Amino acid sequence: MLNRILKSLTSGSALLLCALCVFVSGCGQSEDASPEDMAASAARGEEKRLTIGLSQVGSESDWRMASTESVKAAFSSGAGYNLIFDDAQQKQENQLKAIREFIDQGVDYIILDPIVETGWDSVLSEAKEAGIPVIIYDRLIEVEDDSLYVCWIGSDFKLEGERACVWLKEYLDSRGVTRNINIVDIQGTLGASAQLGRTAALEEAVKENKNWRIIGRDTGEFTTAKGKEVMNQMLERYGSDINVVYAENDNMAYGAIEAMQNRGYKVGLDIDEEEFLVISFDATHNGLQLTLDEEIAENVECNPLYGPRLTEIIEALEAGKPVEKETFIDEEQFSCVSYIGTIQVRNRPYTVTHLTSELIEERVY
Ligand code: AHR
């Protein structure tokens, strides 16, 4: 601890000096105490409060709000952190600006949930030069030099999509549906890992299932309003030719369902009765309620509770322990259909949980 404080002092950390000054005056010591005296005082007192600069994607979805709540609670001042939180409003340029500001402020760690995968090399090189460790979570980044970040923790978005598509195949087979299946893909923010993975999985499944085809696709930017707008355009173009709506998150599914119902289309499980079958991702509280109501046929979880996972990483780094470079989190899958309990994806079994109202009540987001 003392070593770290002295090291920080010699590297001229303005933040630490301020913290020490406050600490010293609070203890009624002389204002002209030497840096060594101040460091020793701090060492006898409380741990240095870490300053975290966190760049969040935006507030586009229920998932995102839950994620923000989780990180804000974990990095609260009560938990001993100084959190500088920045909402980038779904614009990468805002994230680049925020990271540069974090560097100027001399934060201890930068935590980034990147809107898109590319375009991070320069700004992360600047963070590296400033000696600030960077942790990436949720979505991934693509950089030439992977030493630009300490570690990444997040979802396997492609696997989420694969699980959704295998379930759809099982479901159609179980109903003996062999006719052509016309799919509309309402995509997330283009270039975001959550979009790239889920779209790629659908494309692969369409190649494998000769009677499936994607008849329309557009980005709904992960929002309810845009999801509704895209679905309205698809309905104008394809009307009742649509069989399946693959909404790449819950909010776009809400918007799409509203658009279909406003135009008098039925949403449900019976494709042969001209019902539109909706697939969604996130498994938020509202998304699961719609799943229980059979408006969403299946919902693949994308877990937003990153706060405790991120503090665990920082605690490990502070203790000098090694951390995994890449960690995929485990996620669930839910359906209103009871008889598809397990599916095989990438040669391993995955459980599909039959949804009940009790499960939704227990849900924390
Ligand atoms: O990156 C996670 C995705 O982003 C979630 O699926 C979505 O709801 C969010 O906006």
Side-chain angles (χ1 to χ4, degrees):
M1 170 74 189
L2 183 57
N3 277 348
R4 205 179 80 209
I5 291 167
L6 289 167
K7 202 169 129 233
S8 305
L9 281 171
T10 48
S11 69
S13 158
L15 274 171
L16 181 62
L17 262 177
C18 290
L20 286 170
C21 290
V22 169
F23 178 84
V24 167
S25 63
C27 293
Q29 293 189 2
S30 107
E31 277 182 28
D32 55 7
S34 69
E36 288 77 10
D37 288 344
M38 289 196 294
S41 302
R44 283 195 303 270
E46 53 183 52
E47 285 273 319
K48 182 200 156 207
R49 189 171 278 272
L50 290 173
T51 296
I52 312 291
L54 190 145
S55 172
Q56 173 62 292
V57 167
S59 49
E60 73 283 2
S61 61
D62 294 0
W63 187 100
R64 187 66 53 198
M65 307 303 263
S67 162
T68 292
E69 233 176 74
S70 172
V71 293
K72 280 190 174 169
F75 291 107
S76 67
S77 63
Y81 292 96
N82 214 350
L83 176 67
I84 309 174
F85 179 87
D86 187 87
D87 175 340
Q89 296 170 15
Q90 295 239 70
K91 290 195 176 83
Q92 186 182 31
E93 71 215 56
N94 290 344
Q95 291 202 296
L96 298 174
K97 190 164 164 269
I99 293 172
R100 293 200 164 103
E101 280 168 10
F102 296 154
I103 296 170
D104 289 345
Q105 287 161 312
V107 299
D108 297 295
Y109 290 89
I110 291 173
I111 301 184
L112 168 67
D113 186 337
I115 295 170
V116 289
E117 291 194 354
T118 53
W120 301 104
D121 297 77
S122 305
V123 78
L124 295 192
S125 301
E126 291 163 38
K128 188 178 175 185
E129 266 164 43
I132 302 173
V134 175
I135 298 165
I136 312 289
Y137 76 105
D138 173 32
R139 303 179 185 175
L140 295 110
I141 57 168
E142 213 186 281
V143 280
E144 297 251 315
D145 168 9
D146 76 359
S147 76
L148 294 182
Y149 63 97
V150 179
C151 61
W152 166 84
I153 180 162
S155 301
D156 187 336
F157 298 106
K158 173 110 184 302
L159 176 64
E160 290 174 355
E162 288 171 28
R163 289 172 73 172
C165 293
V166 170
W167 181 91
L168 177 63
K169 183 177 165 32
E170 296 270 318
Y171 176 71
L172 295 174
D173 287 352
S174 73
R175 303 281 297 240
V177 179
T178 50
R179 54 183 268 189
N180 285 342
I181 297 295
N182 294 330
I183 305 169
V184 159
D185 180 11
I186 308 184
Q187 298 172 288
T189 305
L190 298 180
S193 313
Q195 175 273 314
L196 294 167
R198 293 169 190 166
T199 300
L202 177 64
E203 283 171 346
E204 272 181 26
V206 165
K207 275 191 201 133
E208 281 159 23
N209 294 281
K210 298 294 170 219
N211 60 331
W212 295 14
R213 57 188 184 126
I214 300 170
I215 56 171
R217 72 155 43 132
D218 203 350
T219 176
E221 285 163 17
F222 288 124
T223 69
T224 304
K226 272 292 252 169
K228 185 174 171 185
E229 192 183 310
V230 171
M231 193 65 219
N232 271 319
Q233 288 160 5
M234 296 297 164
L235 289 168
E236 268 158 37
R237 243 176 273 162
Y238 307 108
S240 56
D241 285 345
I242 300 168
N243 304 119
V244 171
V245 177
Y246 183 88
E248 292 184 12
N249 84 341
D250 275 344
N251 284 78
M252 297 189 297
Y254 312 153
I257 291 169
E258 209 188 315
M260 290 183 265
Q261 291 174 339
N262 284 349
R263 287 168 180 257
Y265 290 103
K266 280 192 282 174
V267 178
L269 295 166
D270 204 344
I271 287 182
D272 286 330
E273 286 301 314
E274 295 210 335
E275 289 185 344
F276 291 11
L277 185 148
V278 179
I279 292 172
S280 186
F281 297 86
D282 285 356
T284 56
H285 201 275
N286 291 342
L288 289 185
Q289 187 56 55
L290 289 178
T291 311
L292 187 67
D293 298 343
E294 300 192 358
E295 294 189 6
I296 292 173
E298 62 154 334
N299 206 323
V300 183
E301 183 184 47
C302 181
N303 194 301
L305 306 178
Y306 282 103
R309 295 183 174 115
L310 291 167
T311 51
E312 203 178 297
I313 291 172
I314 286 183
E315 279 161 22
L317 293 170
E318 284 293 296
K321 293 185 188 154
V323 293
E324 289 291 331
K325 187 76 183 177
E326 284 196 342
T327 307
F328 289 99
I329 60 174
D330 285 334
E331 293 175 316
E332 293 187 73
Q333 182 169 4
F334 301 90
S335 175
C336 51
V337 172
S338 61
Y339 53 85
I340 304 174
T342 311
I343 54 172
Q344 288 289 329
V345 185
R346 300 184 189 173
N347 295 320
R348 63 154 277 199
Y350 285 93
T351 301
V352 182
T353 304
H354 179 224
L355 206 49
T356 59
S357 45
E358 290 73 38
L359 280 175
I360 299 178
E361 270 160 37
E362 285 163 14
R363 200 89 182 147
V364 294
Y365 61 92

